[in-house]
Amino acid sequence: MGTIRTYPGLRHYLGTATDHVVHLSRGEVRRQGVGRSFWFRPNTVLSEVPATDQELPVLFHAITRDQQDVTVQANITYRFADPVLASRRLDFGIFPVADDGGQAKGREQAGVIVGQLAQSAAVDAVTALELAEALETGVARVREALTAGLRDDTRLSATGIEVLGVRVLAVRPEADVEKALQTPVRERLQAEADRATYERRAVAVERERAISENELASQIELATRRERLVAQEGANKQREASEAAAAALISSRAWAERRGIETDAKAAETRELGAAEAAKEAEIMQVYASLGRDVLTALALRDAAGALPAVGSITITPDLVSGLLGALADRGAAPPEDDGTAPASGRDAR
């Protein structure tokens, strides 16, 4: 909106780049344009018409041919092609200000006119359609009807309004009807989702089965290899035991043979020694056999003397001497010569 400055007897207007100003004086247009700046007297009228495109969202209800209520949501773009004509037909005045101090209502008035015309054209288009057709092709048909109806409308042309474009965003039924219509599709989608879930589970089960089979095959292969390993280890241990037993048998046989040889040698040596001892004893016996009783007794005493303890004194009695002499007399041996060393009867010889 432009700026108006007040001076004594005069006013100054400074416009903007988005508003088209129309200066009327005595019913005639004195000045007009965008971004104007000029002086004017208080007995004139100023109007500002928007020079930019206007966006009008509309939302209204319509009844289809099969008596179903639908909601049409659209957006209409328009502009004021003839600002002077629009300022004459609609309230865009900014000076003088109204007594109630209210702002210009030209934009609201233009919006109401465009909205009513759009609603009328859309209702006519929807009424000729059934609900299924309206939901399937209603957006395109309503857009065509709105475009043709608004661009050719004489009231808009007489007001200086030009429709630039129409966009129909949605044609929707009531909430209950829409939900009922969505149910089959939702059920079909749910069925497809369930089928996809079942297929995914089936694939997962198949994969799990394949994995289990692979694990079982691996376990069987490991068990088979373990069995082979155990059998090989047993065969190795058996072979080691057999070889150890054979080595022990060979060692035992060698030891037995060595002992036999040693035993035979010792037996031969013992036999030789025994034979020598026997020969020696035989010779000794032969010698002893040729000796007399007294000599044998003497020899026996000599041999026994080596094993007897030390003798400090010996007593020779007359009986002993008499016996010895009698034995010698019996053998015809000469009586022993008296060397004067024999002790007297009853005396101790030391």
Side-chain angles (χ1 to χ4, degrees):
M1 181 176 180
T3 303
I4 299 176
R5 297 183 182 275
T6 302
Y7 298 95
L10 292 175
R11 303 289 188 271
H12 183 266
Y13 171 81
L14 178 62
T16 63
T18 59
D19 292 315
H20 188 105
V21 63
V22 178
H23 178 204
L24 296 177
S25 177
R26 297 179 181 178
E28 297 181 0
V29 178
R30 297 296 182 180
R31 298 180 183 87
Q32 66 167 329
V34 178
R36 298 295 299 273
S37 176
F38 54 86
W39 295 88
F40 64 93
R41 294 182 179 278
N43 59 351
T44 60
V45 177
L46 297 181
S47 299
E48 280 186 343
V49 180
T52 57
D53 296 342
Q54 305 296 309
E55 299 290 339
L56 177 65
V58 292
L59 179 68
F60 46 83
H61 294 272
I63 304 299
T64 62
R65 189 170 59 188
D66 51 358
Q67 302 301 314
Q68 297 296 324
D69 187 10
V70 295
T71 301
V72 179
Q73 182 180 359
N75 190 77
I76 301 171
T77 304
Y78 66 94
R79 71 183 182 91
F80 297 97
D82 190 346
V84 176
L85 182 58
S87 65
R88 292 179 181 275
R89 300 297 298 273
L90 302 175
D91 182 13
F92 289 102
I94 60 172
F95 185 86
V97 180
D99 296 336
D100 56 359
Q103 297 181 354
K105 300 180 181 180
R107 291 188 181 185
E108 291 79 0
Q109 293 173 353
V112 171
I113 294 173
V114 174
Q116 290 178 350
L117 294 175
Q119 182 175 2
S120 176
V123 169
D124 293 341
V126 172
T127 304
L129 302 175
E130 293 186 356
L131 179 61
E133 295 176 344
L135 296 179
E136 184 176 357
T137 62
V139 173
R141 293 191 179 185
V142 172
R143 181 175 60 250
E144 294 175 357
L146 289 178
T147 302
L150 294 178
R151 286 181 178 177
D152 297 336
D153 189 78
T154 57
R155 183 179 180 185
L156 295 180
S157 301
T159 312
I161 299 174
E162 179 184 2
V163 176
L164 301 178
V166 176
R167 295 181 300 278
V168 178
L169 304 179
V171 177
R172 304 182 59 179
E174 294 182 348
D176 296 339
V177 176
E178 183 177 12
K179 185 176 180 181
L181 293 174
Q182 292 175 351
T183 300
V185 178
R186 187 181 295 110
E187 293 294 335
R188 185 175 67 255
L189 295 177
Q190 185 63 38
E192 293 178 357
D194 295 339
R195 183 171 63 254
T197 302
Y198 297 151
E199 292 177 355
R200 185 170 60 253
R201 290 181 180 177
V203 171
V205 170
E206 182 65 21
R207 291 180 179 176
E208 290 179 359
R209 185 184 63 81
I211 293 173
S212 300
E213 289 181 354
N214 291 334
E215 291 179 352
L216 182 59
S218 300
Q219 293 178 359
I220 293 174
E221 182 65 22
L222 291 176
T224 303
R225 293 183 179 181
R226 189 179 296 110
E227 182 180 1
R228 293 177 182 175
L229 178 62
V230 172
Q232 186 64 37
E233 290 179 351
N236 294 337
K237 290 182 180 180
Q238 185 176 3
R239 187 179 299 108
E240 291 176 359
S242 299
E243 292 178 356
L249 179 59
I250 294 173
S251 178
S252 299
R253 289 179 178 176
W255 181 80
E257 291 178 358
R258 185 171 61 254
R259 289 296 302 272
I261 293 171
E262 291 177 357
T263 302
D264 293 342
K266 288 183 180 181
E269 183 182 0
T270 302
R271 284 195 300 271
E272 291 178 359
L273 291 177
E277 291 292 335
K280 178 182 178 181
E281 291 294 333
E283 292 177 358
I284 292 174
M285 290 302 172
Q286 290 179 1
V287 173
Y288 285 166
S290 63
L291 294 178
R293 179 180 179 185
D294 295 333
V295 176
L296 294 174
T297 302
L299 291 173
L301 292 175
R302 185 192 65 184
D303 293 336
L308 294 175
V311 179
S313 62
I314 185 172
T315 302
I316 300 175
T317 61
D319 294 334
L320 179 59
V321 175
S322 298
L324 292 174
L325 292 177
L328 292 174
D330 292 338
R331 293 176 176 269
E337 294 183 356
D338 187 5
D339 56 0
T341 60
S345 176
R347 299 181 61 185
D348 294 334
R350 298 199 178 256

